[in-house]
Structures are given as C-alpha cells and as structure tokens.
Amino acid sequence: MLDSVEVTSRVGEILTSHKGMEGALLPILHAIQAEFGYVPQAALPIIAQDLNLSRAEVHGVMSFYHDFRENPAGNHVLKLCRAEACKSVGADRVAAHAQKALGIEWHETTTDGRVTREPVFCLGLCACAPAAMIDGKIVGRVDEAKLDGILGGLK
Amino acid sequence: MKIYLPLDSAAVALGADEIATAIRAQHPDATLVRNGSRGMVWLEPLIEVETPAGRMAFGPMTPADVPALFGDLAAHPKALGLTEDLPWLKAQTRLTFARVGVIDPLSLADYRAHGGLSGLERALGMAPADMVTEVTNSGLRGRGGAGFPTGIKWKTVSEAKADRKYIVCNADEGDSATFADRMLMEGDPFTLIEGMVIAGLACGATKGFVYIRSEYPIAIEVMQKAVEIARAEGVLGARVLGKGAAFDMEIRVGAGAYVCGEETSLLNSLEGKRGIVRAKPPLPALEGFLGKPTVVNNVISLASVPVIFEKGAAHYKDFGLGRSRGTIPLQIAGNVKYGGLYEIAFGLTLGEIVDKIGGGTASGRPVKAVQVGGPLGAYFPRSLFDTPFGYEEFAGKDGLIGHAGLTIFDDSADMLEMARFAMEFCAIESCGKCTPCRIGAVRGVETINRIKRGDAAAMPILTDLCNTMKSGSLCALGGFTPYPVMSAVTHFPDDFSTQKEAAE
C-alpha cells in the first residue's frame, strides 16, 4: 500500500492540473486511477475539499461507476464481454472456461495476485465476438484455446 | 508502395497490429496508413494496396500473408480484387460513412480532399436559423435510438436565451451489437467534429463535449488527436475557419456505466456526478449541462450533419421510407456469417438484412431470433422478417430499431435465458433512481427463475411486472427492458414451457 504522504502530494498535483475544468470529478478520478491503479481512500477527502464537495459525495460518485476500484487489481486484468452479441457465439462457455482455469468468480483475483477477472458489457466488437480485453488490449473471436494462450502468456 | 491497414478496434482485435509490425519489419520503405475499417469485419484485418487500377483488398490477413504482398498481387492467396468492386461494399449508400476506411483518419488534408469541411463552409454562409431549418428539412432523427427530430431539438436550443450553451455528443455507445459510433470516431473523427461545429454555430453554443465510453480506448485516442489537429488548423477555436463564431470542444471519458447513455444521466456524469437519470421536464435543450441549454445528440446524428450541408437537405431526405429519412448504418452482429457495418437507406426488410446481407448464421444453423436495437430491443422471430427497417415500422411490431444494431442468434439460443439476462443486465446497470427499474429488474430475474423451475403462476406476474416497468420507469433502461423479455415470451413460448412440461 502507498503511504499517505505520497498519495497527498500526487493527488494535489492532479487536482492542480484539473483546475477550472467544468465537471472535473470524473477526469480527476480517472487520472488518480491511472496513477495508482486504484483510487486510494485517502484521496477522497482531498478531492472533496478541493471541489467543495462532501467526502460522501465523492465516495458516492466513485462507487457509482464500475471502472473505479477501491483496491488494487491483480497484476493483469482480464475483462470478458457478457453482452448479447458475445453470448450468441459462446461467451458464456468461454467465461465458464476462464472461471475454471483461474478458479475465481467475477470480480475476484487469483490467490497469487496474478489475474483479476471482470465482466464487461460490450467492447464494440460485436461482429467478431466473443470479445475480451486483457490489460487494455482488445481481442476478438475468443474461444477456449485462444483464452488459454492469453492466460498462459501472463506472468 | 502505399498500404492501408485499419486501426479500427475490430481489426486490431483480430491482429492488425501484428500485421503492421510484420510490414514495417519486412518493408520499412512502404507507406503504411492506418485507416478506419471498411466495415466488412469477417475480412478483417483487411489490407488495401494502392495500385494504378485502384485500391486492391486482401483479407483476412495473417502475419504469414505479409511477404506475398510484395510479389505478384493478383496471385496473393488472400486477394479479393479491387475494394470498390466488392459487392458488399458496392451495394451500400454511404453518406455518413463515405470516408470511413477510405481516408487517413488523422489527416485533415485527406479529409478536405474527400469533401470534408465543405458542409461547414456552406454553413458559415448561412444564418443560424437557416442552418436549423436545413437540418429540420433533411428529416434527420436521433440515431441514438429515440428517433427524435434533430432539427426540432436544435431549434429549441437556438431559441433559448442563455449566456452559455453546449453541444454534447453522446458517444456512450453501450448497446451490444452497436459499433457505428466507434467506427466513425476511429475512421473519420473530423466528420464528428465538423458536425459539432455546425451544431454550435446553428444553436449559438461555443463549447462541445464528446462523452466517450471508457471501453473504447482507440476511439478516445483518435478523437483526442483529431481535436488537437482541428484546433491547430483553426477548425476549432476563437473563430471557426477564420470567419465564424467561437467553438471549441473536449473529449470526456465515461467510467463503465451503461445508464450514462441516457442523455440526462450522461449530463450528470459530465458534471462530475453519479450518473443518475433526471426527470424531464426540464428538457436538456433548455436546462442541460450545468443548467444551460444543451443539444445532446448521438455520434451518428452529428456525423450526418456535414453531408446534409454538403449535399443539401433534399439529397439526404430523398433516401428512406415513411418518416424514416436518409440512411442508417446497420450493424450486423452476433452469430452471423457476414457481420459488420452496412450503411443503406431505411426500408430494407429484416429478412433481407439478416439472410441476404448477413448471409445467415456463422454457425451454419438456422436463424432463430434477431435482437434489434441492443439490449433494450425486442427479439424478432423469422415470422416477422418482412418488417421494413424504419422507426414506425418496428414500433408497430412491438420493437424498436434503437441504434440499428442487430444481434443474430441460431437455434441453439435459449430465449428464457436471454430474457433472464435482460433483467439481470437491468438490475446491474440500473441507476437506482426509480423503483420499477431498481426493484423490478431484481424481481424480474427471480420471476424468470421461477418460470424456469416450472412455476406456471409466475408468468402472469412477469407480464404484470413488465407493464409496471414499461409505464413506471423514468428512462429507457427500466422502460424498455420489457421489450426483450416480453418479445421472448411472446415469440418463443416453447422456451418458457419446456421445464414445466418436463416437471409435469
């Protein structure tokens, strides 16, 4: 975990760079997550003070959106699309295979901290489904073999 | 040698970047242009090589197919012939997508050479009220799904008195089976920028936002670069193209909430709040972003504006049927042989789209159902394949065209499971503001589970629940989830009775 001095100083810089922006909270939370990999709880009161909001309001916004994490993810994040177009060509089968191969449910991280498995509802790859995203890299036509290849290549 | 290789997400997801690496390694002298996709996703990654006869297409490419590109092109194992002659492409009417896949998305010179900015040039010579009239006369309706006449929305904003007004582009394209917004932003970002500038001039707005979902990293990157270029070249700034009023814009990124595709929820999100739906009235056109008059339009609506100004409202309006004017980029997806983006005038029948253009299923099995309009759209059986593609025509069959995405399912699909999933999705994504959606979706999952277990008494409850959600929800998430659920129940009753019969 990060120490609070480091969080405070870096969050301060991020807040400064968003000064004067209309509706800055989402861009700020994105920038903090890009910096730390998650949104440290220690950042919330600092943001709240800067934007003249209550800590509860900032928490409310952060927790509303699926993207923002309260805790660090595993070393790798595997997102599998669960939406209709992907389901029409076997996304459920692929998801079940990933669940078995990794031994984790949705939103969980493997005990060695290697992989976090998350659902996503549409990556816009609906004509080359099922779709996945591994550490931000998009993959189309994912089947069991392709998934094994992806997981096997992760450190 | 000039080679075109898409940077489009679908092409990249199928290995385009690996092919780019192979080309650069083997022929560093070749000019490699990363363009948008032509929309034939089953052929991606699709490479085009410029020849004296025109651009020749090759695909689907693998890195192993790269060396042969530098030999006899006609003999290449993946040669498809001249791109322009490919039947799937040739039969389309590309107005909004005319440049996608053709030009370098980040070359403003290329954009101009292909008719770009001529719509804006014409708009600059018009009075704002005439610009609004031009859009009204084109018959353009909101392509995000609601189908509200774009010109009327613009008129309301243009006539509103305020110190600041905004143009907000809804690029939170969260519906499964839709990717037209993504393809447009990745393949021809200046078209969207030009459409937003025209909207700004027409409505007296000086600031625009494009709210793009975070699931679209490539679209975000391309749009950000395009805005910087447009600003540097004077398309955006204090005086549009050196003669107009001021207009500038920003790219904003969503955070994984489906409901933010709903316009009022999007505005809250853009303001830095929870993406909770607002009650209407007030209309966003009068009290939108930060309480100021705001145009909220879908990507395709705004991106259709430049061609309307370039070729005239009448040209655009001449396409289509009934009250659905112009063209619609169909997104054919799911279990389909020839999937991708197909822009054509309204009016084809669902059967023509699925069987002729899409070529049926990828699995080769019979088509069982087609969900039209994303996760909130109805499932259509083969018996409704004669429905013409238009707003009113689909509404007349208890469906919707939405953002014109079609997900095709073969006969292995379990429609009870799809109905249950629709409720589950609504439960996950509900913003929580109104009870029919927040509680109803959870009860919906439970009720469908009861039906699955053979509980016949649960069916009337589901119907009743769907009616409550339909008429009692604030927005389309709770209000339209009954479409996929009830269409599955109505058109595929066998999938809802098998368990019961087995139990009896």
Side-chain angles (χ1 to χ4, degrees):
Chain A
M1 281 289 174
L2 298 150
D3 69 69
S4 63
V5 179
E6 195 185 334
V7 171
T8 308
S9 93
R10 195 57 202 111
V11 169
E13 286 166 34
I14 289 169
L15 289 170
T16 306
S17 70
H18 287 81
K19 276 279 181 283
M21 193 182 215
E22 293 170 308
L25 186 49
L26 256 69
I28 288 169
L29 291 171
H30 273 304
I32 290 174
Q33 180 146 306
E35 175 76 21
F36 301 109
Y38 68 109
V39 181
Q41 288 297 292
L44 302 189
I46 310 170
I47 303 169
Q49 177 149 24
D50 189 76
L51 297 182
N52 196 24
L53 297 169
S54 70
R55 189 187 180 287
E57 282 171 305
V58 179
H59 173 78
V61 171
M62 186 200 148
S63 56
F64 181 86
Y65 297 96
H66 299 305
D67 280 5
F68 301 126
R69 306 170 190 287
E70 261 183 61
N71 297 297
N75 297 337
H76 304 283
V77 178
L78 172 69
K79 290 180 192 253
L80 295 171
C81 182
R82 288 191 60 204
E84 287 86 351
C86 287
K87 284 169 91 75
S88 77
V89 279
D92 291 342
R93 208 186 59 231
V94 175
H97 180 77
Q99 181 191 18
K100 207 172 157 197
L102 296 167
I104 48 173
E105 297 293 326
W106 293 116
H107 303 288
E108 287 184 353
T109 303
T110 51
T111 46
D112 59 2
R114 203 168 59 101
V115 185
T116 301
R117 185 178 76 120
E118 293 182 340
V120 63
F121 293 97
C122 198
L123 293 164
L125 303 172
C126 321
C128 53
M133 190 184 244
I134 180 78
D135 298 333
K137 185 179 156 44
I138 46 180
V139 193
R141 290 197 202 112
V142 179
D143 56 13
E144 289 88 336
K146 208 161 176 176
L147 189 72
D148 287 341
I150 293 167
L151 294 176
L154 301 177
K155 298 219 164 44
Chain B
M1 189 173 182
K2 197 169 186 179
I3 301 173
Y4 292 86
L5 170 66
L7 54 69
D8 181 277
S9 294
V12 170
L14 296 171
D17 288 349
E18 287 71 23
I19 289 158
T21 307
I23 292 172
R24 289 202 180 98
Q26 291 167 34
H27 285 268
D29 299 342
T31 308
L32 183 62
V33 176
R34 298 301 298 266
N35 60 344
S37 167
R38 295 278 193 162
M40 297 172 285
V41 177
W42 77 97
L43 293 176
E44 294 290 358
L46 178 108
I47 269 193
E48 291 173 84
V49 178
E50 205 160 77
T51 73
R55 278 155 72 162
M56 274 187 79
F58 305 85
M61 292 286 292
T62 65
D65 297 319
V66 170
L69 281 178
F70 302 93
D72 178 10
L73 287 176
H76 193 285
K78 298 284 173 74
L80 300 165
L82 293 173
T83 317
E84 301 297 327
D85 292 342
L86 295 174
W88 213 79
L89 207 53
K90 217 174 171 175
Q92 298 185 40
T93 303
R94 287 208 162 197
L95 299 181
T96 309
F97 279 76
R99 283 175 292 259
V100 174
V102 177
I103 62 167
D104 176 345
L106 291 171
S107 161
L108 197 62
D110 230 9
Y111 181 68
R112 274 185 190 274
H114 286 81
L117 295 181
S118 47
L120 176 57
E121 298 276 8
R122 182 173 161 235
L124 283 167
M126 296 165 79
D130 295 335
M131 293 187 219
V132 173
T133 306
E134 187 78 3
V135 174
T136 307
N137 289 346
S138 73
L140 180 65
R141 293 167 68 179
R143 296 287 188 252
F148 189 80
T150 307
I152 293 180
K153 205 181 256 188
W154 285 26
K155 191 167 190 280
T156 310
V157 175
S158 72
E159 290 171 357
K161 300 269 178 282
D163 57 339
R164 272 176 300 149
K165 298 179 190 178
Y166 295 95
I167 307 296
V168 171
C169 171
N170 183 345
D172 194 32
E173 184 181 47
D175 290 349
S176 181
T178 65
F179 42 83
D181 297 354
R182 177 184 65 65
M183 280 186 60
L184 193 286
M185 291 188 286
E186 291 173 351
D188 193 11
F190 293 123
T191 297
L192 175 57
I193 294 172
E194 184 180 349
M196 288 183 70
V197 174
I198 296 173
L201 297 174
C203 300
T206 49
K207 180 76 184 279
F209 292 98
V210 186
Y211 183 97
I212 311 179
R213 56 202 302 265
S214 61
E215 292 85 349
Y216 283 180
I218 297 176
I220 294 166
E221 192 189 332
V222 174
M223 280 306 302
Q224 272 165 344
K225 284 183 185 163
V227 166
E228 280 166 31
I229 295 167
R231 201 176 284 141
E233 300 283 336
V235 179
L236 296 170
R239 286 178 71 73
V240 167
L241 290 183
K243 42 195 161 182
F247 190 82
D248 208 338
M249 56 193 278
E250 261 182 58
I251 305 301
R252 290 290 176 91
V253 180
Y258 173 77
V259 75
C260 289
E262 196 283 332
E263 62 176 2
T264 61
S265 161
L266 185 152
L267 290 171
N268 274 339
S269 182
L270 205 56
E271 289 180 9
K273 299 174 182 156
R274 291 162 69 87
I276 304 272
V277 173
R278 299 176 185 173
K280 289 190 276 194
L283 293 172
L286 296 172
E287 292 180 38
F289 181 62
L290 300 175
K292 302 292 176 183
T294 305
V295 168
V296 185
N297 277 160
N298 170 256
V299 173
I300 302 304
S301 311
L302 287 163
S304 299
V305 167
V307 71
I308 289 169
F309 278 81
E310 182 193 345
K311 300 199 168 160
H315 178 83
Y316 191 79
K317 194 179 190 165
D318 278 349
F319 296 97
L321 96 157
R323 290 178 51 218
S324 306
R325 309 312 311 172
T327 57
I328 183 83
L330 301 168
Q331 299 129 81
I332 310 170
N335 193 337
V336 62
K337 195 170 177 191
Y338 305 125
L341 183 131
Y342 196 96
E343 184 178 352
I344 190 87
F346 285 96
L348 287 181
T349 65
L350 181 57
E352 285 172 313
I353 297 167
V354 172
D355 293 332
K356 284 196 189 147
I357 300 171
T361 62
S363 60
R365 301 172 66 99
V367 174
K368 177 172 181 174
V370 183
Q371 186 179 30
V372 184
L376 306 176
Y379 286 100
F380 278 68
R382 285 207 77 96
S383 58
L384 292 177
F385 270 22
D386 58 348
T387 312
F389 207 86
Y391 294 101
E392 280 69 31
E393 290 73 11
F394 267 65
K397 299 284 167 67
D398 289 325
L400 48 118
I401 62 169
H403 191 44
L406 301 99
T407 305
I408 295 162
F409 292 82
D410 72 10
D411 61 353
S412 67
D414 174 354
M415 301 313 291
L416 181 141
E417 164 54 24
M418 296 316 297
R420 202 194 59 77
F421 176 76
M423 284 291 190
E424 185 190 348
F425 180 69
C426 182
I428 294 170
E429 297 297 334
S430 175
C431 81
K433 177 147 178 163
C434 63
T435 315
C437 174
R438 184 184 67 247
I439 309 282
V442 178
R443 293 289 172 265
V445 174
E446 293 165 2
T447 310
I448 294 173
N449 284 340
R450 277 174 61 187
I451 295 169
K452 187 173 183 171
R453 288 196 301 268
D455 183 348
M459 191 54 95
I461 297 174
L462 181 66
T463 310
D464 192 38
L465 177 66
C466 280
N467 282 332
T468 304
M469 290 175 72
K470 212 168 169 175
S471 49
S473 300
L474 264 180
C475 85
L477 180 50
F480 286 12
T481 295
Y483 277 105
V485 175
M486 290 314 295
S487 60
V489 170
T490 307
H491 301 306
F492 306 94
D494 291 355
D495 286 13
F496 291 80
S497 59
T498 46
Q499 296 294 321
K500 191 181 95 193
E501 280 160 12
E504 276 168 0

